[in-house]
């Protein structure tokens, strides 16, 4: 525990805006773009995430999480500062959720059910500020995490061909990385989705490429979703080894 705020690492002194009784405990595995720690706020275990997202971006995410919580989904809920803000200077503090990762096909089927509920609840939701959906990128060059101008033209053509097959679907909020077991916390009674860093408005099928096709997509729908998802990950991560590997899974035009 830190006795005075002058000893906090840079950025984390903002945690003092959640009250006097606050402490950083230990680092947690989080997104590459954020510094994620377990924290204690007024005697309760919570999660603090410090990053460089804009206020508009954080407002979109925290409002979404509050809405999903009210609608009965199990998600990390933003804990307000002492003056009622849901984030401050890039720092968000959220409730800590217990549970373990999905392990069996039955577990993943429960995850699929939770994702479908997310998609149902968020039809017509506004896009995350600065983001583009996969089908937007048929015409746009850039989105928050994507710059198609950095990719070879042949690679862009492959990605766009995969995304074009998604046109005409009703968009909604997608979690963005649900097939990563570390983003799911399961107990006997609930399925919690955590780490909403990649969430944005897109085609729901992108969330349903799950292990063992746990969402039960038919062969054609699964193939379309899997190709589009591989193209999305290749474009987001371009150009590391993972991106090159994912692009290789996208069929040539």
């Amino acid at each position: 525990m830190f006795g005075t705020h002058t000893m906090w690492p840079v950025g984390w002194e903002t945690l003092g805006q959640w009250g006097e009784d606050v402490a950083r405990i230990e680092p947690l595995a989080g997104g590459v773009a954020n510094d994620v720690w377990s924290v204690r706020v007024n005697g309760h275990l919570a999660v603090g995430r410090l990053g460089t997202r804009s206020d508009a971006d954080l407002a979109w995410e925290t409002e979404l999480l509050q809405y999903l919580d009210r609608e009965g989904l199990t998600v990390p809920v933003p804990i307000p500062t002492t003056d009622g803000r849901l984030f401050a200077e890039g720092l968000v503090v959220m409730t800590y959720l217990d549970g373990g990762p999905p392990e069996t096909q039955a577990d993943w089927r429960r995850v699929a059910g939770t994702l479908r509920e997310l998609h149902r609840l968020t039809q017509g939701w506004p896009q995350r500020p600065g983001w583009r959906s996969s089908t937007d990128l048929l015409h746009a060059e850039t989105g928050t995490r994507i710059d198609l101008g950095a990719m070879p033209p042949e690679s862009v053509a492959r990605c766009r061909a995969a995304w074009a097959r998604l046109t005409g679907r009703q968009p909604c909020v997608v979690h963005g990385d649900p097939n990563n077991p570390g983003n799911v916390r399961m107990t006997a009674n609930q399925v919690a989705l955590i780490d909403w860093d990649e969430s944005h408005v897109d085609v729901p099928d992108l969330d349903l490429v799950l292990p063992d096709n746990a969402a039960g997509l038919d062969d054609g729908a699964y193939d379309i979703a899997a190709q589009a998802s591989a193209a999305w990950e290749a474009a987001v991560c371009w150009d590391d080894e993972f991106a090159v590997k994912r692009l290789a899974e996208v069929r040539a035009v």
Side-chain angles (χ1 to χ4, degrees):
M1 185 181 290
F2 297 84
T4 68
H5 292 163
T6 55
M7 294 170 63
W8 293 94
V10 173
W12 282 98
E13 65 275 2
T14 307
L15 193 59
Q17 297 189 35
W18 273 261
E20 288 299 307
D21 181 18
V22 293
R24 282 202 322 168
I25 302 170
E26 61 182 356
L28 301 172
V32 287
N34 297 294
D35 192 14
V36 184
W37 283 66
S38 58
V39 297
R40 198 164 44 248
V41 177
N42 300 320
H44 296 283
L45 189 61
V47 175
R49 191 190 77 199
L50 181 64
T52 56
R53 292 276 167 105
S54 69
D55 283 1
D57 183 288
L58 293 175
W60 184 94
E61 183 184 356
T62 50
E63 286 164 21
L64 172 69
L65 292 172
Q66 284 191 321
Y67 165 73
L68 295 175
D69 174 62
R70 285 196 305 271
E71 293 294 327
L73 284 192
T74 307
V75 296
V77 182
I79 298 168
T81 61
T82 52
D83 62 1
R85 287 171 298 152
L86 298 180
F87 53 88
E89 295 167 48
L91 180 62
V92 186
V93 178
M94 295 167 277
T95 52
Y96 183 90
L97 293 168
D98 276 323
E103 292 171 350
T104 65
Q105 192 171 11
D107 287 347
W108 281 109
R109 280 199 294 270
R110 289 174 61 201
V111 173
T114 300
L115 289 165
R116 285 204 160 95
E117 183 68 358
L118 162 69
H119 301 156
R120 183 186 72 77
L121 288 168
T122 57
Q123 290 184 9
W125 203 262
Q127 182 59 279
R128 192 169 192 152
W131 284 69
R132 297 274 190 278
S133 71
S134 51
T135 50
D136 290 337
L137 289 166
L138 297 176
H139 311 290
E141 286 280 314
T142 57
T144 291
R145 299 282 304 280
I146 288 177
D147 178 7
L148 296 181
M151 298 176 74
E154 187 271 335
S155 302
V156 175
R158 280 166 76 169
C159 290
R160 283 179 163 161
W163 296 329
R165 298 162 79 197
L166 297 174
T167 50
R169 317 282 173 102
Q170 170 77 42
C172 59
V173 172
V174 295
H175 176 276
D177 192 17
N179 58 1
N180 174 355
N183 288 341
V184 185
R185 295 274 184 276
M186 301 190 70
T187 66
N189 304 319
Q190 67 187 33
V191 177
L193 296 170
I194 65 169
D195 193 354
W196 291 77
D197 250 21
E198 303 294 319
S199 59
H200 62 284
V201 170
D202 215 318
V203 176
D205 306 50
L206 291 171
D207 263 353
L208 299 176
V209 185
L210 298 174
D212 300 321
N213 189 19
L217 301 180
D218 67 44
D219 289 350
Y222 186 86
D223 179 68
I224 289 171
Q227 291 281 303
S229 178
W232 178 268
E233 290 188 356
V236 166
C237 301
W238 195 260
D239 63 332
D240 63 14
E241 281 180 32
F242 175 75
V244 172
K245 177 169 159 285
R246 290 299 270 154
L247 184 65
E249 295 169 34
V250 182
R251 281 192 293 278
V253 181

